[in-house]
Amino acid sequence: MAPSKIRRALGAVKDQTSIGLAKVGSSNSLADLDVAIVKATRHEEYPAEERHIREILSLTCYSRAFVSACVNTLARRLNKTKNWTVALKTLMLIHRLLADGDPSYEQEIFFSTRRGTRILNMSDFRDHSSQSNSWDYSASCAPMRSTSTSGLSSVCKGRGEAQRI
């Protein structure tokens, strides 16, 4: 069942608010990263645009600080959302960054989980975007989460850094 017009409009307003807050609350370069992350994980039920993913990859390819900021922003977005579309897009973005991004993404996600950030822990996630299929949508995010977790765990085990993520 497609979301109602009001829910779609609320999602668009939330995205625009997040973009505005990112532009005001960060330095120019970090604002660009935050805006690209919000645009890549919008509330609309379409795949993320490749240009936003490429922008995130290009902004984080030379700076470990940007990788850290990106991981923190993704963790915050994933933990705050109650929308299955945003959660799934965020997990897909994390998977893409681990596959195509700088190797420091793996290390940063690993270290952030050791610091207590729950980046891939979605055990308490429940979709609130639609009443009829909310458990179905919530369950649809679980396979993507387990794929990202197992890939990251195997990388960490290969380095001798095995830990529950």
Side-chain angles (χ1 to χ4, degrees):
M1 178 178 199
S4 69
K5 289 182 180 181
I6 293 173
R7 290 205 183 267
R8 283 194 303 251
L10 284 173
V13 168
K14 285 181 183 179
D15 290 338
Q16 288 302 317
T17 302
S18 296
I19 289 171
L21 289 172
K23 288 180 179 178
V24 171
S26 303
S27 65
N28 283 342
S29 51
L30 284 179
D32 293 340
L33 179 63
D34 288 344
V35 168
I37 289 171
V38 171
K39 286 183 177 181
T41 59
R42 285 187 175 166
H43 284 79
E44 56 192 30
E45 293 181 11
Y46 299 105
E49 291 184 30
E50 184 66 23
R51 65 186 171 117
H52 300 304
I53 297 171
R54 284 190 194 136
E55 183 177 0
I56 294 167
L57 287 168
S58 68
L59 286 170
T60 59
C61 67
Y62 298 113
S63 172
R64 180 74 182 239
F66 274 47
V67 171
S68 178
C70 180
V71 168
N72 289 333
T73 303
L74 289 170
R76 186 177 58 244
R77 186 130 172 104
L78 190 59
N79 288 325
K80 280 179 52 177
T81 190
K82 299 295 179 201
N83 186 294
W84 72 273
T85 309
V86 175
L88 190 60
K89 284 183 177 183
T90 305
L91 289 170
M92 291 172 62
L93 180 59
I94 291 169
H95 182 75
R96 176 77 184 270
L97 293 173
L98 287 171
D100 298 339
D102 194 83
S104 60
Y105 274 108
E106 298 164 0
Q107 296 169 349
E108 194 58 43
I109 290 173
F110 176 74
F111 290 135
S112 69
T113 56
R114 291 186 78 185
R115 289 189 298 261
T117 304
R118 298 175 22 180
I119 187 165
L120 295 175
N121 184 358
M122 294 186 61
S123 59
D124 58 349
F125 175 75
R126 177 145 191 264
D127 177 62
H128 293 289
S129 63
S130 90
Q131 298 301 322
S132 62
N133 298 330
S134 65
W135 285 110
D136 293 337
Y137 291 143
S138 299
S140 70
C141 293
M144 190 64 189
R145 180 230 170 238
S146 64
T147 301
S148 298
T149 303
S150 64
L152 187 60
S153 295
S154 65
V155 168
C156 293
K157 286 178 186 174
R159 293 189 185 141
E161 301 169 341
Q163 177 192 0
R164 185 171 172 220
I165 297 177

